[in-house]
Amino acid sequence: MDQERWTEVDRYIAERVLPADSALEAALAASDAAGLPAIQVSPSMGKLLQLLAQSIGARRILEIGTLGGYSTIWLARAVAPSGRVVTLELNSAFAEVARSNLGRAGLGERVEVLVGPALETLPLLAAEASEPFDLIFIDADKESTAEYFRWALNLSRRGSLIVVDNVVREGTLIDDDRRDAHIQGIRDFYALAAAEPRVSMTAIQTVGIKGYDGFAVALVSAEAQTSSC
Ligand code: SAH
Ligand code: DHB
Ligand code: MG
Protein backbone atom coordinates (compact mmCIF):
# COMPACT_ATOMS: atom_id res chain seq x y z
CA MET A 1 0.00 0.00 0.00
CA ASP A 2 1.53 3.27 -1.01
CA GLN A 3 0.86 6.88 -1.82
CA GLU A 4 0.51 6.26 -5.56
CA ARG A 5 -2.26 3.75 -4.94
CA TRP A 6 -4.08 6.02 -2.46
CA THR A 7 -3.93 8.86 -4.99
CA GLU A 8 -5.29 6.65 -7.80
CA VAL A 9 -8.18 5.48 -5.64
CA ASP A 10 -9.01 9.07 -4.69
CA ARG A 11 -9.07 9.83 -8.43
CA TYR A 12 -11.33 6.83 -9.07
CA ILE A 13 -13.78 8.07 -6.47
CA ALA A 14 -13.63 11.68 -7.66
CA GLU A 15 -14.26 10.70 -11.28
CA ARG A 16 -17.45 8.95 -10.26
CA VAL A 17 -19.01 11.10 -7.55
CA LEU A 18 -17.31 14.51 -7.69
CA PRO A 19 -18.14 16.09 -11.05
CA ALA A 20 -15.76 18.69 -12.49
CA ASP A 21 -16.47 21.98 -10.78
CA SER A 22 -15.21 25.18 -12.36
CA ALA A 23 -15.47 27.32 -9.19
CA LEU A 24 -13.44 24.89 -7.11
CA GLU A 25 -10.89 24.41 -9.89
CA ALA A 26 -10.55 28.18 -10.36
CA ALA A 27 -10.07 28.60 -6.60
CA LEU A 28 -7.24 26.07 -6.59
CA ALA A 29 -5.62 27.65 -9.66
CA ALA A 30 -5.79 31.15 -8.17
CA SER A 31 -4.45 29.92 -4.82
CA ASP A 32 -1.57 28.19 -6.57
CA ALA A 33 -0.82 31.28 -8.69
CA ALA A 34 -0.74 33.39 -5.52
CA GLY A 35 1.78 31.00 -3.96
CA LEU A 36 -0.47 29.53 -1.27
CA PRO A 37 0.57 26.08 -0.01
CA ALA A 38 -1.62 23.29 -1.44
CA ILE A 39 -2.74 21.98 1.95
CA GLN A 40 -6.49 22.33 1.46
CA VAL A 41 -8.79 19.41 2.21
CA SER A 42 -9.10 16.77 -0.50
CA PRO A 43 -12.13 16.96 -2.81
CA SER A 44 -13.68 13.95 -1.03
CA MET A 45 -13.20 15.61 2.35
CA GLY A 46 -14.64 18.88 1.03
CA LYS A 47 -17.70 16.99 -0.14
CA LEU A 48 -17.98 15.26 3.25
CA LEU A 49 -17.97 18.67 4.96
CA GLN A 50 -20.76 19.79 2.66
CA LEU A 51 -22.79 16.62 3.26
CA LEU A 52 -22.39 16.85 7.04
CA ALA A 53 -23.49 20.48 6.99
CA GLN A 54 -26.47 19.72 4.73
CA SER A 55 -27.54 16.72 6.76
CA ILE A 56 -27.89 18.79 9.94
CA GLY A 57 -29.49 21.69 8.05
CA ALA A 58 -26.67 24.00 9.09
CA ARG A 59 -27.42 27.71 8.77
CA ARG A 60 -24.41 29.07 10.63
CA ILE A 61 -20.93 27.63 10.12
CA LEU A 62 -17.60 28.63 11.64
CA GLU A 63 -14.28 27.66 10.06
CA ILE A 64 -10.91 28.17 11.72
CA GLY A 65 -8.19 28.24 9.01
CA THR A 66 -9.35 29.61 5.63
CA LEU A 67 -6.26 29.40 3.38
CA GLY A 68 -7.64 30.18 -0.14
CA GLY A 69 -11.21 29.31 0.79
CA TYR A 70 -11.38 25.88 -0.84
CA SER A 71 -13.05 24.14 2.12
CA THR A 72 -15.01 27.36 2.69
CA ILE A 73 -16.63 27.00 -0.75
CA TRP A 74 -17.80 23.46 0.09
CA LEU A 75 -19.18 24.64 3.44
CA ALA A 76 -20.81 27.79 2.05
CA ARG A 77 -22.63 25.77 -0.60
CA ALA A 78 -24.27 23.78 2.18
CA VAL A 79 -25.96 26.79 3.77
CA ALA A 80 -28.92 28.59 2.20
CA PRO A 81 -28.30 32.07 0.75
CA SER A 82 -29.63 33.42 4.06
CA GLY A 83 -27.09 31.28 5.96
CA ARG A 84 -23.70 32.47 7.16
CA VAL A 85 -20.15 31.15 7.15
CA VAL A 86 -17.56 32.92 9.28
CA THR A 87 -14.00 31.85 8.50
CA LEU A 88 -10.87 32.89 10.41
CA GLU A 89 -7.48 33.38 8.78
CA LEU A 90 -4.19 34.66 10.19
CA ASN A 91 -2.61 35.67 6.88
CA SER A 92 -4.23 38.74 5.26
CA ALA A 93 -2.84 37.89 1.80
CA PHE A 94 -4.40 34.40 2.02
CA ALA A 95 -7.66 35.99 3.18
CA GLU A 96 -7.70 38.25 0.09
CA VAL A 97 -7.22 35.23 -2.18
CA ALA A 98 -10.07 33.50 -0.33
CA ARG A 99 -12.41 36.48 -0.71
CA SER A 100 -11.70 36.60 -4.41
CA ASN A 101 -12.25 32.84 -4.78
CA LEU A 102 -15.51 33.00 -2.83
CA GLY A 103 -16.70 35.96 -4.90
CA ARG A 104 -15.96 34.09 -8.12
CA ALA A 105 -17.90 31.12 -6.77
CA GLY A 106 -20.89 33.40 -6.15
CA LEU A 107 -20.66 32.89 -2.38
CA GLY A 108 -19.16 36.20 -1.25
CA GLU A 109 -22.42 37.45 0.27
CA ARG A 110 -22.78 34.62 2.73
CA VAL A 111 -19.16 34.36 3.88
CA GLU A 112 -17.24 36.64 6.22
CA VAL A 113 -13.44 36.21 6.28
CA LEU A 114 -12.01 37.57 9.53
CA VAL A 115 -8.27 38.28 9.53
CA GLY A 116 -6.06 37.79 12.58
CA PRO A 117 -4.85 35.10 14.95
CA ALA A 118 -7.92 32.96 15.66
CA LEU A 119 -7.25 33.10 19.39
CA GLU A 120 -7.87 36.86 19.08
CA THR A 121 -10.88 36.74 16.75
CA LEU A 122 -12.68 33.91 18.61
CA PRO A 123 -13.18 36.00 21.79
CA LEU A 124 -14.63 38.78 19.60
CA LEU A 125 -17.11 36.30 18.09
CA ALA A 126 -18.05 35.07 21.56
CA ALA A 127 -18.56 38.66 22.76
CA GLU A 128 -20.98 39.32 19.88
CA ALA A 129 -23.40 36.92 21.61
CA SER A 130 -25.01 36.02 18.30
CA GLU A 131 -26.60 32.64 17.67
CA PRO A 132 -24.44 29.56 18.17
CA PHE A 133 -22.83 27.86 15.19
CA ASP A 134 -24.37 24.64 13.87
CA LEU A 135 -21.08 23.31 12.52
CA ILE A 136 -17.50 24.29 13.30
CA PHE A 137 -14.55 23.13 11.19
CA ILE A 138 -11.14 23.38 12.91
CA ASP A 139 -8.26 23.40 10.41
CA ALA A 140 -5.67 26.03 11.38
CA ASP A 141 -2.32 25.75 13.22
CA LYS A 142 -2.27 22.32 14.84
CA GLU A 143 -0.56 23.39 18.07
CA SER A 144 -3.68 25.34 19.04
CA THR A 145 -6.19 22.63 18.14
CA ALA A 146 -7.18 21.97 21.77
CA GLU A 147 -7.76 25.66 22.42
CA TYR A 148 -9.82 25.94 19.23
CA PHE A 149 -11.89 22.97 20.35
CA ARG A 150 -12.59 24.71 23.67
CA TRP A 151 -13.76 27.81 21.80
CA ALA A 152 -15.81 25.69 19.42
CA LEU A 153 -17.68 24.24 22.39
CA ASN A 154 -18.24 27.72 23.68
CA LEU A 155 -19.73 28.87 20.38
CA SER A 156 -21.97 25.82 19.84
CA ARG A 157 -25.24 24.35 21.15
CA ARG A 158 -26.65 20.91 21.75
CA GLY A 159 -26.68 19.22 18.31
CA SER A 160 -23.79 21.21 16.82
CA LEU A 161 -21.07 19.27 15.02
CA ILE A 162 -17.38 20.01 15.45
CA VAL A 163 -15.10 18.60 12.74
CA VAL A 164 -11.34 18.66 13.28
CA ASP A 165 -8.85 18.08 10.46
CA ASN A 166 -5.37 16.52 10.70
CA VAL A 167 -5.79 14.54 13.90
CA VAL A 168 -3.58 11.57 12.89
CA ARG A 169 -0.56 13.06 11.06
CA GLU A 170 0.89 9.78 9.79
CA GLY A 171 0.29 8.25 13.20
CA THR A 172 3.00 10.39 14.79
CA LEU A 173 0.69 11.13 17.69
CA ILE A 174 1.56 7.73 19.21
CA ASP A 175 5.35 8.21 18.87
CA ASP A 176 6.56 9.09 22.36
CA ASP A 177 9.78 10.62 21.03
CA ARG A 178 7.83 13.20 19.01
CA ARG A 179 7.34 16.24 21.21
CA ASP A 180 6.74 18.77 18.38
CA ALA A 181 4.20 21.44 19.29
CA HIS A 182 1.92 20.53 16.38
CA ILE A 183 1.77 16.87 17.44
CA GLN A 184 1.41 17.75 21.11
CA GLY A 185 -1.47 20.07 20.16
CA ILE A 186 -3.36 17.13 18.67
CA ARG A 187 -2.68 15.00 21.77
CA ASP A 188 -3.97 17.83 23.97
CA PHE A 189 -7.08 17.93 21.81
CA TYR A 190 -7.78 14.20 22.36
CA ALA A 191 -7.18 14.60 26.10
CA LEU A 192 -9.60 17.51 26.24
CA ALA A 193 -12.27 15.70 24.21
CA ALA A 194 -11.90 12.58 26.34
CA ALA A 195 -12.49 14.56 29.51
CA GLU A 196 -15.34 16.65 28.10
CA PRO A 197 -18.78 15.36 29.12
CA ARG A 198 -20.55 17.63 26.62
CA VAL A 199 -19.24 15.84 23.52
CA SER A 200 -19.53 12.45 21.91
CA MET A 201 -16.65 12.01 19.47
CA THR A 202 -14.92 9.68 17.08
CA ALA A 203 -11.86 10.00 14.85
CA ILE A 204 -11.27 8.31 11.51
CA GLN A 205 -7.88 7.57 9.96
CA THR A 206 -7.68 8.39 6.27
CA VAL A 207 -5.41 7.72 3.30
CA GLY A 208 -5.70 9.50 -0.03
CA ILE A 209 -4.16 12.26 -2.09
CA LYS A 210 -3.07 13.98 1.12
CA GLY A 211 -1.27 10.92 2.48
CA TYR A 212 -2.06 9.31 5.82
CA ASP A 213 -3.98 11.48 8.24
CA GLY A 214 -7.43 11.62 9.81
CA PHE A 215 -10.27 13.74 11.05
CA ALA A 216 -12.49 13.85 14.12
CA VAL A 217 -16.22 14.45 14.36
CA ALA A 218 -17.71 15.52 17.67
CA LEU A 219 -21.39 15.94 18.45
CA VAL A 220 -22.15 18.46 21.15
CA SER A 221 -24.61 16.56 23.30
CA ALA A 222 -25.33 19.10 26.01
CA GLU A 223 -25.78 22.84 26.06
CA ALA A 224 -22.39 24.55 26.03
CA GLN A 225 -21.79 27.32 28.51
CA THR A 226 -21.77 30.91 27.32
CA SER A 227 -18.94 32.18 29.48
CA SER A 228 -15.61 33.04 27.84
CA CYS A 229 -12.84 30.46 27.65
N1 SAH B 1 -9.35 24.94 5.58
C1 SAH B 1 -8.47 25.19 4.44
C2 SAH B 1 -7.03 24.86 4.77
C3 SAH B 1 -6.48 25.63 5.93
S1 SAH B 1 -4.71 25.47 6.03
C4 SAH B 1 -8.94 24.30 3.28
O1 SAH B 1 -9.10 23.10 3.51
O2 SAH B 1 -9.11 24.80 2.16
C5 SAH B 1 -4.43 26.24 7.57
C6 SAH B 1 -4.65 27.74 7.56
O3 SAH B 1 -4.62 28.19 8.90
C7 SAH B 1 -3.55 28.52 6.82
O4 SAH B 1 -4.11 29.35 5.85
C8 SAH B 1 -2.89 29.35 7.92
O5 SAH B 1 -2.46 30.62 7.49
C9 SAH B 1 -4.02 29.47 8.93
N2 SAH B 1 -3.55 29.75 10.28
C10 SAH B 1 -2.38 29.39 10.86
N3 SAH B 1 -2.32 29.86 12.11
C11 SAH B 1 -3.47 30.54 12.33
C12 SAH B 1 -3.98 31.28 13.43
N4 SAH B 1 -3.30 31.40 14.56
N5 SAH B 1 -5.18 31.86 13.30
C13 SAH B 1 -5.90 31.73 12.15
N6 SAH B 1 -5.46 31.05 11.08
C14 SAH B 1 -4.28 30.47 11.17
C1 DHB C 1 -0.97 20.32 6.25
C2 DHB C 1 -2.17 19.70 5.95
C3 DHB C 1 -3.34 20.23 6.39
O1 DHB C 1 -4.55 19.65 6.11
C4 DHB C 1 -3.35 21.39 7.13
O2 DHB C 1 -4.54 21.87 7.55
C5 DHB C 1 -2.17 22.02 7.46
C6 DHB C 1 -0.98 21.48 7.01
C7 DHB C 1 0.29 19.73 5.77
O3 DHB C 1 0.21 18.72 5.10
O4 DHB C 1 1.33 20.31 6.06
MG1 MG D 1 -6.13 20.52 7.22
Side-chain angles (χ1 to χ4, degrees), residues 91-144:
N91 184 308
S92 59
F94 292 4
E96 264 319 302
V97 174
R99 287 190 186 105
S100 157
N101 286 337
L102 288 156
R104 197 189 303 102
L107 298 164
E109 297 282 298
R110 63 183 91 159
V111 181
E112 193 179 359
V113 185
L114 297 181
V115 176
L119 289 174
E120 288 179 19
T121 44
L122 285 163
L124 300 179
L125 280 179
E128 271 177 16
S130 33
E131 284 176 75
F133 291 96
D134 306 309
L135 186 148
I136 298 162
F137 178 47
I138 299 176
D139 190 23
D141 54 308
K142 310 310 162 193
E143 48 266 49
S144 304

Side-chain angles (χ1 to χ4, degrees), residues 187-215:
R187 293 185 186 123
D188 293 346
F189 155 68
Y190 281 105
L192 179 63
E196 177 51 70
R198 288 173 293 173
V199 300
S200 176
M201 189 180 100
T202 191
I204 300 294
Q205 302 184 71
T206 55
V207 293
I209 56 169
K210 290 192 72 185
Y212 169 34
D213 208 328
F215 65 92

